[in-house]
Amino acid sequence: MYTGGAPVSRDAKGFADPGAVAAPVPVAENATMPGNVHPTFWHPLFWIALLAGNTALAAPPLSTEDASALRARFQTRQRETLTWSATVVQTLTLPGLRDPVVSTGTLAYRAPDRLRLDFTKPAGEFVLILGDRLFIQKTGARLAEKSLREDSAGKPFLSLLGLLRGQPAEEESEYTPQVRREEDHYAVVLTRNADASAQMPARIVNRIAADTLEVREVVVDLPSCGVLSYRFDAITRNAPLDPARFAAPTDPTSRELR
């Protein structure tokens, strides 16, 4: 998934505490996903996850104590989330691309392991997660079923689910986190450690609303030197969702494990 606004490469600024709010997602450069979605999608938390700006006079990082307290508040809020939905704008910028690739759609989550992403651009494409079952529908292709945990295409969605559940991703130790208060949001920046795999995103910047602690934006610096971003708007938490959105597809599928 890529998101809102043209992505901008940014300075790594944020948390001095290794226990930052958002968590990273491993990147599978060759994975294919709907909506031109690059697998780096969800380092949260998503995970999932937020955004930083280039400011010459940036605020100092939060203290270790304040950062830990913010993390605890965020995780508590996420664990109280039974349903979550939002509109999504995904934006991908890559070297050699004249213009960013923009995809739009809606995302719906039902705890603990149901997630659906429907694209309106490109129309008809979707991602559906039911436990370990990952369904991906791309335009002109047969519906594919994969293993969320075993297939490389599932990595970003595992991270997104972790963000929405308030659980850290396993790869969080591969990053050094920092967090800053910037106007009306917290900017959480995860910078890849020198000894971490070069296949991991170089940096992940998350923006969390300061008043509601809602995840609003995620910006990922890809190993390919591109930038992938997601922006969430019209967020609704703990509202009823139509169970039909999470029904298992009845169409024939191709089973793929990588």
Side-chain angles (χ1 to χ4, degrees):
M1 328 162 176
Y2 328 150
T3 90
V8 180
S9 186
R10 310 167 188 284
D11 293 332
K13 298 172 180 165
F15 253 6
D17 172 29
V21 174
V25 178
V27 177
E29 285 293 328
N30 61 348
T32 301
M33 310 180 76
N36 295 314
V37 178
H38 190 287
T40 312
F41 180 110
W42 279 94
H43 287 68
L45 18 246
F46 232 249
W47 104 232
I48 227 99
L50 328 182
L51 162 85
N54 264 336
T55 49
L57 299 175
L62 268 63
S63 67
T64 298
E65 294 75 14
D66 289 345
S68 296
L70 176 63
R71 179 189 179 93
R73 288 171 53 209
F74 179 80
Q75 290 182 332
T76 296
R77 179 168 173 76
Q78 296 306 99
R79 289 166 184 165
E80 293 172 348
T81 300
L82 302 179
T83 65
W84 193 90
S85 60
T87 59
V88 180
V89 179
Q90 169 184 280
T91 304
L92 175 66
T93 301
L94 290 172
L97 282 183
R98 179 177 179 179
D99 299 308
V101 179
V102 179
S103 301
T104 59
T106 60
L107 185 145
Y109 161 75
R110 189 176 73 191
D113 58 4
R114 300 287 189 268
L115 185 144
R116 182 168 181 129
L117 174 64
D118 288 287
F119 287 96
T120 53
K121 177 188 175 184
E125 298 194 356
F126 70 84
V127 173
L128 174 64
I129 295 171
L130 304 173
D132 187 54
R133 302 177 73 186
L134 170 63
F135 297 92
I136 296 179
Q137 178 66 68
K138 290 184 63 67
T139 301
R142 188 178 179 185
L143 177 66
E145 180 179 353
K146 305 168 182 283
S147 168
L148 178 67
R149 293 173 179 79
E150 296 181 31
D151 194 288
S152 59
K155 297 299 184 183
F157 298 107
L158 273 175
S159 295
L160 175 56
L161 282 171
L163 174 64
L164 293 171
R165 283 184 269 196
Q167 298 172 342
E170 295 178 359
E171 296 80 12
E172 186 176 9
S173 61
E174 303 293 329
Y175 289 79
T176 297
Q178 289 186 319
V179 71
R180 298 175 187 274
R181 173 67 184 264
E182 297 182 353
E183 297 182 351
D184 61 350
H185 68 275
Y186 290 103
V188 180
V189 180
L190 302 172
T191 302
R192 187 180 66 204
N193 296 332
D195 58 351
S197 169
Q199 295 304 307
M200 302 289 288
R203 182 173 53 189
I204 303 161
V205 184
N206 301 313
R207 175 181 288 161
I208 299 174
D211 54 350
T212 63
L213 296 187
E214 291 287 6
V215 175
R216 299 310 303 268
E217 197 163 14
V218 181
V219 178
V220 180
D221 287 2
L222 304 174
S224 60
C225 299
V227 177
L228 173 66
S229 69
Y230 312 90
R231 178 170 179 82
F232 305 100
D233 292 299
I235 296 171
T236 302
R237 182 187 295 267
N238 291 338
L241 293 176
D242 184 355
R245 296 193 68 178
F246 304 101
T250 56
D251 298 336
T253 63
S254 61
R255 180 70 177 172
E256 303 176 26
L257 292 176
R258 296 175 185 169

